[in-house]
Amino acid sequence: MPRAVALGLPGPPRAGERMSRLLCCVQARPLGFLKPSSLTKVSSHFKTHQDSLPRLPVPPLQQTLDHYLKALQPIVSEEEWAQTKQLVEEFQSPGGVGERLQKGLERRARKTENWLSEWWLKTAYLQYRQPLVIYSSPVAHVGAGQGGGRASSPGTLPVEYLGGKPLCMNQYYQILSSCRVPGPKQDSVTNFSKIKKPPAHITVVHNYQFFELDVYHSDGTPLTSDQIFTQLEKIWNSSLQTNKEPVGILTSNHRNSWAKAYSTLIKDKVNRESVRSIQKSIFTVCLDAPMPRVSEDRYRHQVACQMLHGGGGKLNSGNRWFDKTLQFIVAEDGACGLIYEHAAAEGPPITTLVDHVIEFTKKPELVRSPMIPLPMPKKLRFNITPEIKSDIEKAKQNLSIMIQDLDITVFVFHHFGKDFPKSEKLSPDAFIQMALQLAYYRIYGQACATYESASLRMFHLGRTDTIRSASMDSLTFVKAMGDPNVTAICGKAFDRHLLGLKLQAIEDLVSMPDIFMDTSYAIAMHFNLSTSQVPAKTDCVMFFGPVVPDGYGVCYNPMESHINFSVSAYNSCAETNAVRLAHYLEQALLDMRALLQSHPRAKL
C-alpha cells in the first residue's frame, strides 16, 4: 500500500529555523553511520538477532478459506457469497488444487528464509508500474523548533520489541545507500551499504542541480554540523540560478516511461556517472525553492503536497530523485521533511527513525570543528539532448495531471486522543477503525473492503499483512453498535496466504483456480478504504493516495489527547470527497464517545 508521512504539523515555521532543522536531518545519523571497520561487528550482531526470529508460518488452508468467506459476507451479495462458498469447497476438496498449492507453499517455506518476502517485494513494488509519486512513495513533514544537529558515535540499532517479542530489523538496513532502478518490466533495488568501501557522500539538490557532498573525512570521522553548514552554503551560493533542466522530474513518471528515458539518459558517460553517484549516496537532501504563499489554515495542506510531489514541474518536483530510498526536504520557509521509496520499508520504521532524529538532535554537539578548509562539493553534470528534454516535458505534463487529480486533507481531531478509548478499556486502533466503518456507512449506506496494514516484523524478513476491519460484526456495529475481533499480526490473516496460493499456481504453471477468477475475489481485493495507523512519539501523521480510483487513503496517529488524520481521494471520481469523509469521521468519533459515556460499563 502506498504511504506518505507528515511529521509535526504546525503553522508556517519561522524562516530562521530552516537551516538548523536541515542540520537535524543531515547530522542526526539515525542509524549510527559506521566506520568501515565497524561493519563486521554490526553484521555479526544483526545476523545473530535475525536468525533467532521465528519464520513466517504458512497458515492452515482450512483456516484461511474460512476467514476469507467470513470477510466476504459484509461486502458481497448473498448470491455471490453462495457461489464463492461453492468454489471454496471445490478448491479445498481432498487431493484438489488447493491442497497441491498448499503443499507447494509449505515446501517453499522450508527452503526459503521467508516464503512471502521475495514475492511481496516483486508484486507489491518492483512490478508495480504506476509512478512512485502519490501512488507509492511515503513522505514526512518534520515540525518546527527542534534545535541544532550533531553527529553520533558509531553504534548499532537497538532491537525493537512488540508485546515482549523482538522484531525484524532488516528494513532499517535497507534505507541508507540504496536506490530503486527502473527496468522495462520490473524494477530492481541496489544497495551499496555492504560493499567493501561503503559510500561516504550524500547528494544535495538545489534549483534542479545535483551535488556530491562528502560527509566523512578520509580517516572515517564524520563532518561536524558547522562543517556541513559551510558545505551547504557553498552549494547554495553556487546554484542560485534555476536555468537548468529539471532532470530529476523524470523519476516521477510512469515506470515504463521512466525506464525508457533512463536507458536514453545513461547512454552518455557523464550522465551515467552522475546517476551512479546519486544512486550510491547515503541519502539525498533537497533544498527547495519557496512555494506560493497561502493562508495559515491551508499551510498544512500545502506542505503535505510539497513533501508528496514537490508542487509540479514549475516548482520543486524537479528537485527530487524519487527513486532514491531516502530524501530529506528543506524549504526556504523552514518546512522540513522526508520522502522515501516504499520498496525498502514500511511507515513505522521510518517514523521510528524520525523519532530518533528528533530526540537525538536535542542534545548539544560535543565535537568541535577543526579549522581546516574543505574542498568544494562536486557538481554532478548532465548532458541534456533534445530527446531527454522531450522526456522531461512529458514527465512534467503527466505529473501535473496527477497533482490536479489528488484530493487530500490533513486535520487534527482535538476532542480526545488515545486516552479516551484506553479509559474505556478499548483499543484506540479498533476504536478509530470502527469510526471509519461508521463514517463510510453513513455516506454510502454499505460496507466496503477495508485494508488496514498490520506488521509482520515479529517474523524473519516480515513486512505486512492485512487487517480487514469490515466484518459482519462491524456491519452490525454501524447499524446497532457492535464490536469486531481481528488478529492479523500473528501471521494468521488470509490475504498474504491467498496471494501465495495464487502465485504458487502461476509458478507451478497450473491453470488459474476458479476461486481467484471469481467476482467476490475481485470485490474483496478492491479496497475502497485503505487505512494505516502509524504511531510515533513525534506529533505526526502519514498520508498517501487511494489504492483504487474510487477509494480513500486514510492514515492516523493517535496521540494522548488528540488524533492526527489524513484523508485522500481522487478528484476524477465524483463519488469520493476527502473533506466529506473527514467530516463524517469526526462526527462518528464524537457519537461513539457519547454512546459510551451514556452507557457506562459496570466496574470490574
Coordinates of all heavy atoms in Angstrom, one line a residue, residues 383-428:
N383 N 24.3 16.0 -19.5 CA 24.2 16.5 -20.8 C 22.8 16.2 -21.3 O 22.4 15.0 -21.5 CB 25.2 15.7 -21.7 CG 26.6 16.1 -21.3 OD1 26.9 17.3 -21.0 ND2 27.6 15.2 -21.4
I384 N 22.0 17.2 -21.6 CA 20.6 17.1 -21.9 C 20.5 17.2 -23.5 O 20.6 18.3 -24.1 CB 19.7 18.2 -21.3 CG1 20.0 18.2 -19.8 CG2 18.3 18.0 -21.6 CD1 19.5 16.9 -19.0
T385 N 20.2 16.1 -24.1 CA 19.9 16.0 -25.5 C 18.5 16.4 -25.8 O 17.6 16.4 -24.9 CB 20.2 14.6 -26.1 OG1 19.2 13.7 -25.5 CG2 21.6 14.1 -25.7
P386 N 18.1 16.7 -27.1 CA 16.7 17.0 -27.4 C 15.8 15.9 -27.0 O 14.6 16.2 -26.5 CB 16.8 17.2 -28.9 CG 18.1 17.7 -29.2 CD 19.0 17.0 -28.2
E387 N 16.2 14.7 -27.1 CA 15.3 13.5 -26.7 C 15.1 13.5 -25.2 O 13.9 13.3 -24.8 CB 16.0 12.2 -27.2 CG 15.1 11.0 -27.0 CD 15.7 9.7 -27.4 OE1 16.9 9.7 -27.9 OE2 15.1 8.6 -27.3
I388 N 16.1 13.8 -24.4 CA 16.0 13.8 -23.0 C 15.1 15.0 -22.6 O 14.2 14.9 -21.7 CB 17.3 13.9 -22.3 CG1 18.1 12.6 -22.5 CG2 17.2 14.1 -20.8 CD1 19.6 12.6 -22.1
K389 N 15.3 16.1 -23.3 CA 14.4 17.3 -23.0 C 13.0 17.0 -23.3 O 12.1 17.4 -22.5 CB 14.9 18.5 -23.8 CG 14.2 19.8 -23.5 CD 14.8 21.0 -24.2 CE 14.0 22.3 -24.1 NZ 13.7 22.6 -22.7
S390 N 12.7 16.3 -24.3 CA 11.3 15.9 -24.7 C 10.8 15.0 -23.6 O 9.6 15.1 -23.2 CB 11.3 15.2 -26.0 OG 10.0 14.6 -26.3
D391 N 11.6 14.0 -23.1 CA 11.2 13.2 -22.0 C 10.8 14.0 -20.7 O 9.9 13.6 -20.0 CB 12.3 12.1 -21.7 CG 12.4 11.1 -22.7 OD1 11.4 10.8 -23.5 OD2 13.5 10.5 -22.9
I392 N 11.6 15.0 -20.4 CA 11.4 15.8 -19.3 C 10.1 16.6 -19.4 O 9.3 16.6 -18.4 CB 12.6 16.8 -19.1 CG1 13.8 16.1 -18.6 CG2 12.2 17.9 -18.1 CD1 15.1 17.0 -18.6
E393 N 9.8 17.1 -20.6 CA 8.5 17.8 -20.8 C 7.3 16.9 -20.6 O 6.3 17.3 -20.1 CB 8.5 18.4 -22.2 CG 9.4 19.6 -22.4 CD 9.3 20.7 -21.3 OE1 8.1 21.1 -21.1 OE2 10.3 21.1 -20.7
K394 N 7.4 15.7 -21.1 CA 6.3 14.7 -21.0 C 6.1 14.3 -19.5 O 5.0 14.2 -19.0 CB 6.6 13.4 -21.8 CG 6.5 13.5 -23.3 CD 7.0 12.3 -24.0 CE 7.1 12.5 -25.5 NZ 7.8 11.3 -26.1
A395 N 7.2 14.2 -18.8 CA 7.1 13.9 -17.3 C 6.4 15.0 -16.6 O 5.6 14.8 -15.7 CB 8.5 13.6 -16.7
K396 N 6.8 16.3 -17.0 CA 6.1 17.5 -16.4 C 4.6 17.4 -16.6 O 3.8 17.6 -15.6 CB 6.6 18.8 -17.0 CG 8.0 19.2 -16.5 CD 8.3 20.5 -17.2 CE 9.7 21.0 -16.9 NZ 10.0 22.3 -17.7
Q397 N 4.2 17.1 -17.8 CA 2.8 17.1 -18.1 C 2.0 16.0 -17.4 O 1.0 16.2 -16.8 CB 2.6 16.9 -19.6 CG 3.0 18.1 -20.5 CD 3.2 17.7 -22.0 OE1 2.7 16.7 -22.4 NE2 3.8 18.6 -22.7
N398 N 2.6 14.8 -17.3 CA 2.0 13.7 -16.6 C 1.9 14.0 -15.1 O 0.8 13.7 -14.5 CB 2.8 12.4 -16.8 CG 2.7 11.9 -18.3 OD1 1.8 12.3 -19.0 ND2 3.7 11.1 -18.7
L399 N 2.9 14.6 -14.5 CA 2.9 14.9 -13.1 C 1.8 15.9 -12.8 O 1.1 15.8 -11.8 CB 4.2 15.3 -12.6 CG 4.3 15.6 -11.1 CD1 3.9 14.4 -10.3 CD2 5.7 16.1 -10.7
S400 N 1.7 16.9 -13.7 CA 0.7 18.0 -13.5 C -0.7 17.4 -13.5 O -1.6 17.8 -12.6 CB 0.8 19.0 -14.6 OG -0.2 20.0 -14.5
I401 N -1.0 16.4 -14.3 CA -2.3 15.7 -14.3 C -2.6 15.0 -13.0 O -3.6 15.1 -12.4 CB -2.4 14.8 -15.5 CG1 -2.4 15.5 -16.9 CG2 -3.7 13.9 -15.4 CD1 -2.2 14.7 -18.1
M402 N -1.5 14.3 -12.5 CA -1.7 13.5 -11.3 C -1.9 14.5 -10.1 O -2.7 14.2 -9.2 CB -0.4 12.7 -11.0 CG -0.2 11.5 -11.9 SD 1.0 10.4 -11.3 CE 2.5 11.3 -11.4
I403 N -1.2 15.6 -10.1 CA -1.3 16.6 -9.0 C -2.7 17.1 -9.0 O -3.4 17.3 -7.9 CB -0.3 17.7 -9.1 CG1 1.1 17.1 -8.7 CG2 -0.6 18.8 -8.2 CD1 2.3 18.0 -9.0
Q404 N -3.3 17.5 -10.1 CA -4.6 18.0 -10.2 C -5.7 17.1 -9.7 O -6.7 17.5 -9.2 CB -4.9 18.5 -11.7 CG -4.1 19.6 -12.2 CD -4.3 20.9 -11.4 OE1 -5.5 21.2 -11.1 NE2 -3.2 21.6 -11.0
D405 N -5.4 15.8 -9.9 CA -6.4 14.7 -9.5 C -6.4 14.4 -8.0 O -7.3 13.8 -7.5 CB -6.1 13.5 -10.3 CG -7.3 12.5 -10.3 OD1 -8.4 12.9 -10.1 OD2 -7.0 11.3 -10.5
L406 N -5.3 14.8 -7.3 CA -5.2 14.4 -5.9 C -6.1 15.4 -5.0 O -5.9 16.6 -5.0 CB -3.7 14.5 -5.5 CG -3.5 14.1 -4.0 CD1 -3.8 12.6 -3.8 CD2 -2.1 14.4 -3.6
D407 N -6.9 14.7 -4.2 CA -7.8 15.4 -3.3 C -7.3 15.0 -1.9 O -7.5 13.8 -1.5 CB -9.2 15.1 -3.5 CG -10.2 15.6 -2.5 OD1 -9.8 16.5 -1.8 OD2 -11.3 15.0 -2.4
I408 N -6.7 15.9 -1.1 CA -6.1 15.4 0.2 C -6.4 16.5 1.3 O -6.4 17.7 1.0 CB -4.6 15.2 0.1 CG1 -4.1 14.5 1.4 CG2 -3.8 16.4 -0.3 CD1 -2.7 13.9 1.2
T409 N -6.8 16.0 2.4 CA -7.0 16.9 3.6 C -6.2 16.3 4.8 O -6.2 15.0 5.0 CB -8.5 17.1 3.9 OG1 -8.6 18.0 5.0 CG2 -9.2 15.8 4.3
V410 N -5.6 17.1 5.5 CA -4.8 16.7 6.7 C -5.4 17.5 7.9 O -5.6 18.7 7.8 CB -3.3 17.0 6.6 CG1 -2.6 16.6 7.9 CG2 -2.8 16.4 5.4
F411 N -5.9 16.8 9.0 CA -6.5 17.6 10.1 C -6.2 16.9 11.4 O -5.8 15.8 11.5 CB -8.0 17.6 9.8 CG -8.8 16.3 10.0 CD1 -9.4 16.0 11.2 CD2 -8.8 15.4 9.0 CE1 -10.1 14.8 11.3 CE2 -9.5 14.2 9.1 CZ -10.1 13.9 10.3
V412 N -6.4 17.7 12.4 CA -6.2 17.3 13.8 C -7.5 17.2 14.5 O -8.3 18.1 14.5 CB -5.3 18.2 14.6 CG1 -5.0 17.7 16.0 CG2 -3.9 18.4 13.9
F413 N -7.9 16.0 15.0 CA -9.1 15.8 15.8 C -8.7 16.1 17.3 O -8.0 15.4 17.9 CB -9.5 14.3 15.7 CG -10.7 14.0 16.5 CD1 -12.0 14.3 16.0 CD2 -10.6 13.3 17.7 CE1 -13.1 14.0 16.8 CE2 -11.7 13.0 18.5 CZ -13.0 13.3 18.0
H414 N -9.2 17.3 17.7 CA -8.8 17.8 19.0 C -9.6 17.3 20.2 O -9.2 17.6 21.4 CB -8.9 19.4 19.0 CG -7.8 20.0 18.1 ND1 -6.5 20.0 18.5 CD2 -7.9 20.7 17.0 CE1 -5.8 20.6 17.6 NE2 -6.6 21.0 16.6
H415 N -10.8 16.7 20.0 CA -11.7 16.4 21.1 C -11.1 15.4 22.1 O -11.4 15.5 23.3 CB -13.0 15.9 20.5 CG -13.6 16.9 19.6 ND1 -14.4 18.0 20.0 CD2 -13.6 17.0 18.2 CE1 -14.7 18.7 19.0 NE2 -14.3 18.1 17.9
F416 N -10.4 14.4 21.6 CA -9.8 13.5 22.5 C -8.7 12.7 21.7 O -8.7 12.8 20.5 CB -10.8 12.5 23.2 CG -11.6 11.7 22.2 CD1 -11.1 10.5 21.7 CD2 -12.9 12.1 21.9 CE1 -11.9 9.7 20.8 CE2 -13.7 11.3 21.0 CZ -13.2 10.2 20.4
G417 N -7.9 11.9 22.4 CA -6.9 11.1 21.7 C -7.0 9.7 22.2 O -8.1 9.2 22.5
K418 N -5.9 9.0 22.2 CA -6.0 7.6 22.6 C -6.3 7.4 24.1 O -6.6 6.3 24.6 CB -4.7 6.8 22.3 CG -3.4 7.4 22.9 CD -2.2 6.6 22.4 CE -0.9 7.2 22.9 NZ 0.3 6.5 22.4
D419 N -6.2 8.5 24.8 CA -6.6 8.5 26.3 C -8.0 8.0 26.5 O -8.3 7.3 27.4 CB -6.3 9.8 27.0 CG -7.0 11.0 26.2 OD1 -7.6 10.8 25.1 OD2 -6.8 12.1 26.7
F420 N -9.0 8.5 25.7 CA -10.4 8.1 25.9 C -10.7 6.7 25.7 O -11.2 6.0 26.6 CB -11.3 9.0 25.1 CG -12.7 8.6 25.2 CD1 -13.4 8.7 26.4 CD2 -13.4 7.9 24.2 CE1 -14.7 8.3 26.5 CE2 -14.7 7.5 24.3 CZ -15.4 7.7 25.5
P421 N -10.4 6.1 24.5 CA -10.6 4.6 24.4 C -9.9 3.8 25.4 O -10.5 2.8 25.9 CB -10.1 4.3 23.0 CG -9.7 5.5 22.3 CD -9.9 6.7 23.3
K422 N -8.7 4.2 25.8 CA -8.0 3.5 26.8 C -8.7 3.5 28.2 O -8.8 2.5 28.9 CB -6.6 4.1 27.0 CG -5.6 3.6 26.0 CD -4.2 4.1 26.3 CE -3.1 3.5 25.4 NZ -1.8 4.1 25.7
S423 N -9.3 4.7 28.5 CA -10.0 4.8 29.7 C -11.3 3.9 29.7 O -11.8 3.5 30.8 CB -10.5 6.3 30.0 OG -11.5 6.6 29.1
E424 N -11.7 3.6 28.6 CA -12.9 2.6 28.4 C -12.4 1.2 28.2 O -13.2 0.3 27.9 CB -13.8 3.1 27.2 CG -14.4 4.4 27.4 CD -15.5 4.4 28.4 OE1 -16.1 3.4 28.6 OE2 -15.8 5.5 29.0
K425 N -11.1 1.0 28.4 CA -10.5 -0.4 28.2 C -10.7 -0.9 26.8 O -11.0 -2.1 26.5 CB -11.0 -1.4 29.2 CG -10.6 -1.0 30.7 CD -11.1 -2.1 31.6 CE -10.4 -1.9 33.0 NZ -10.6 -0.5 33.6
L426 N -10.7 0.0 25.8 CA -10.8 -0.3 24.4 C -9.5 0.0 23.6 O -8.7 0.9 24.0 CB -11.9 0.5 23.7 CG -13.3 0.2 24.2 CD1 -14.3 1.2 23.6 CD2 -13.8 -1.2 23.9
S427 N -9.2 -0.7 22.6 CA -8.0 -0.5 21.8 C -8.3 0.8 21.0 O -9.3 0.9 20.3 CB -7.8 -1.6 20.8 OG -7.1 -1.2 19.6
P428 N -7.4 1.8 21.1 CA -7.5 3.0 20.3 C -7.6 2.8 18.8 O -8.4 3.4 18.1 CB -6.3 3.9 20.6 CG -5.9 3.4 22.0 CD -6.2 1.9 22.0

